[in-house]
Amino acid sequence: GNIIGSGIFISPKGVLEHAGSVGLALIIWVLGGGVAALGSLCYAELGVTIPKSGGDYSYVTEIFGGLAGFLLLWSAVLIMYPTSLAVIALTFSNYVLQPVFPNCIPPYNASRILSMVCLLLLTWVNSSSVRWATRIQDIFTAGKLLALTLIIIVGFIQIFKGNYKELTPSSAFKFWMTPSVGHLALAFLQGSFAFSGWNFLNYVTEELVDPRRQVPISMMLFLKNLPRAIFISIPLVTFVYTFTNIAYFTAMSPQELLSSNAVAVTFGEKLLGYFSWVMPVSVALSTFGGINGYLFTSSRLCFSGAREGHLPSLLAMIHVKHCTPIPALLICCLATLIIMLVGDTYTLINYVSFINYLCYGVTIIGLIVLRWKKPKIFRPIKVNLLIPITYLAFWAFLLIFSLYSEPVVCGVGLIIILTGVPVFFLGVYWRNKPKCVNRLI
């Protein structure tokens, strides 16, 4: 439910643009799922070895110390979550407005205003009730499944009718440009955005554990079901993503897909006739639920950081009646509103994917370091060492060639992360601050 969001409705354009052919784009989608599966297995071991909420942040802080953990938290609060939220909210507004502006891109101001209204509404919902937020997630999951199932079924019907010219080997591997290694890295970054969310279970580990029992039943169920969830969900998502892209190419040429501002809407207009309205409505439902899910988890990360003393203590406060982290939700909302006003969708995806992968890699390096530093620590789940090594080899390839291809985007991302160094020493490391500063914080 967290993985499938807006990515599959916007990333196909970015993947195809950098891949240079239909066949290579489809291969990248399959490999992207494989890499997500490797990463999630590593996170499964970390999640049960260090059973703390906060995911990557908690693991990096535990293994590498406060500065490394703070920099990861800093980049997540400033870039990763607000940017992801901004991209999903803009996708929501584009799909809602596309039927209103069928022959052109929706106006800039209209899409931004609608995105902001959606974000503010869901921030209010998450602040008012955890139950409301989870109900919205359950209901709106149906929207994304409806859209993707419909696309795949119609795609199969098209194939049975013989409309698969773009998928034949001679056409699929006909390159309109020769992709460099850097282009391939950027294609993977675009595709990886659609798979982001595979690590979200690690953000609520403590909520799955009953602290009153020595060997809690909930933890036993967690240990039993976590690997099963990975082995079922990641291949299933990869299947859905790959066949959704195949379906797109039964109705559109690569050039038509690249020129479309809302791929699923264009697909619906070509093949669904009077029922073409189903596509924008379903995608809007999907992205609405995606915004809700990201708000829910990002606020918990702020809460964890404040509890560790890495963010102002205000962000660790919970409403007395509603039991919701309202200050953390408001900070996430504000950061997203600011990012929403700068940059286009695909540049934002490159920013967030690069920093996401950087953080994933550092966390999985931590798994290997922890094996070396604490070989005898209890590990209910222990993956083969080849899994993190394979993931890190791919990770290094992706980051090096992304830096080579998009030095400005990646460089700005690194600079934003490093701006956290002076903030850490002034805000966290400097313990004996004047009383007025502590009162302000």
Side-chain angles (χ1 to χ4, degrees):
N2 272 315
I3 296 173
I4 299 175
S6 67
I8 187 56
F9 302 113
I10 51 176
S11 292
K13 182 176 175 178
V15 172
L16 182 64
E17 184 179 4
H18 293 295
S21 77
V22 172
L24 189 55
L26 293 175
I27 289 170
I28 286 170
W29 281 106
V30 174
L31 290 178
V35 171
L38 293 177
S40 59
L41 286 170
C42 296
Y43 270 63
E45 178 178 327
L46 285 167
V48 296
T49 308
I50 306 172
K52 289 184 178 180
S53 289
D56 329 58
Y57 161 69
S58 295
Y59 312 146
V60 170
T61 303
E62 180 88 12
I63 297 165
F64 295 113
L67 176 58
F70 178 81
L71 291 179
L72 192 149
L73 178 69
W74 179 256
S75 60
V77 171
L78 278 187
I79 295 291
M80 286 195 295
Y81 277 110
T83 303
S84 296
L85 272 165
V87 169
I88 299 170
L90 290 171
T91 306
F92 167 81
S93 61
N94 280 338
Y95 273 89
V96 170
L97 294 171
Q98 191 66 32
V100 183
F101 301 94
N103 300 317
C104 64
I105 295 172
Y108 178 91
N109 289 336
S111 65
R112 258 55 182 184
I113 290 169
L114 183 57
S115 301
M116 290 176 181
V117 169
C118 173
L119 180 68
L120 291 169
L121 173 64
L122 284 172
T123 301
W124 173 75
V125 169
N126 275 269
S127 299
S128 300
S129 170
V130 173
R131 181 170 292 179
W132 289 4
T134 52
R135 287 272 171 84
I136 283 176
Q137 197 68 11
D138 291 341
I139 293 167
F140 284 87
T141 295
K144 67 185 81 176
L145 295 177
L146 171 66
L148 293 172
T149 303
L150 187 59
I151 289 170
I152 292 170
I153 290 171
V154 172
F156 274 120
I157 292 170
Q158 284 287 97
I159 290 171
F160 289 139
K161 287 181 177 179
N163 298 322
Y164 51 84
K165 180 185 173 186
E166 300 296 341
L167 299 171
T168 58
S170 57
S171 297
F173 290 96
K174 186 178 180 181
F175 290 86
W176 58 86
M177 71 159 190
T178 304
S180 63
V181 180
H183 280 119
L184 292 179
L186 292 175
F188 270 109
L189 281 183
Q190 290 284 334
S192 71
F193 179 78
F195 284 98
S196 60
W198 51 261
N199 60 327
F200 277 7
L201 189 60
N202 294 67
Y203 281 84
V204 291
T205 306
E206 287 177 50
E207 295 174 48
L208 298 168
V209 175
D210 180 356
R212 293 168 296 179
R213 295 175 182 264
Q214 189 175 2
V215 184
I217 293 171
S218 53
M219 176 57 96
M220 289 169 66
L221 290 171
F222 182 59
L223 294 175
K224 179 181 177 184
N225 289 325
L226 183 59
R228 187 182 299 167
I230 291 165
F231 288 127
I232 293 172
S233 63
I234 305 277
L236 182 61
V237 171
T238 306
F239 173 86
V240 169
Y241 282 3
T242 305
F243 278 91
T244 299
N245 277 275
I246 288 171
Y248 287 151
F249 292 118
T250 64
M252 289 177 275
S253 68
Q255 290 70 33
E256 286 176 313
L257 192 147
L258 290 172
S259 62
S260 172
N261 187 52
V263 179
V265 171
T266 306
F267 179 86
E269 288 171 350
K270 280 180 164 288
L271 297 181
L272 298 181
Y274 291 114
F275 295 99
S276 61
W277 57 269
V278 172
M279 276 297 117
V281 170
S282 299
V283 177
L285 293 175
S286 170
T287 48
F288 192 82
I291 297 166
N292 183 68
Y294 265 86
L295 269 174
F296 190 88
T297 49
S298 60
S299 60
R300 269 62 182 177
L301 180 60
C302 285
F303 172 84
S304 294
R307 189 179 60 179
E308 294 288 334
H310 284 171
L311 289 174
S313 57
L314 171 68
L315 298 180
M317 293 184 180
I318 296 174
H319 193 275
V320 176
K321 292 181 180 178
H322 302 315
C323 297
T324 54
I326 292 179
L329 281 162
L330 292 176
I331 287 295
C332 293
C333 178
L334 179 63
T336 305
L337 289 173
I338 293 169
I339 285 182
M340 206 178 283
L341 296 172
V342 295
D344 68 279
T345 302
Y346 294 99
T347 305
L348 289 175
I349 288 175
N350 281 342
Y351 271 121
V352 74
S353 297
F354 175 78
I355 295 175
N356 253 337
Y357 255 97
L358 188 61
C359 294
Y360 294 158
V362 170
T363 306
I364 291 172
I365 289 171
L367 169 67
I368 296 174
V369 171
L370 192 65
R371 288 271 190 101
W372 172 65
K373 286 171 67 175
K374 297 181 178 179
K376 295 183 180 179
I377 193 172
F378 178 58
R379 292 178 172 85
I381 295 173
K382 189 174 183 179
V383 299
N384 190 299
L385 207 55
L386 281 174
I387 292 175
I389 289 171
T390 304
Y391 184 93
L392 289 172
F394 176 80
W395 172 77
F397 152 78
L398 196 67
L399 290 189
I400 290 167
F401 286 103
S402 297
L403 276 166
Y404 174 77
S405 298
E406 287 280 0
V408 175
V409 171
C410 299
V412 169
L414 287 172
I415 289 168
I416 291 170
I417 294 172
L418 293 175
T419 56
V421 175
V423 176
F424 172 80
F425 283 105
L426 289 172
V428 180
Y429 189 77
W430 180 24
R431 299 283 184 184
N432 300 317
K433 290 186 277 289
K435 287 184 178 179
C436 60
V437 175
N438 284 324
R439 198 175 297 119
L440 176 66
I441 295 172

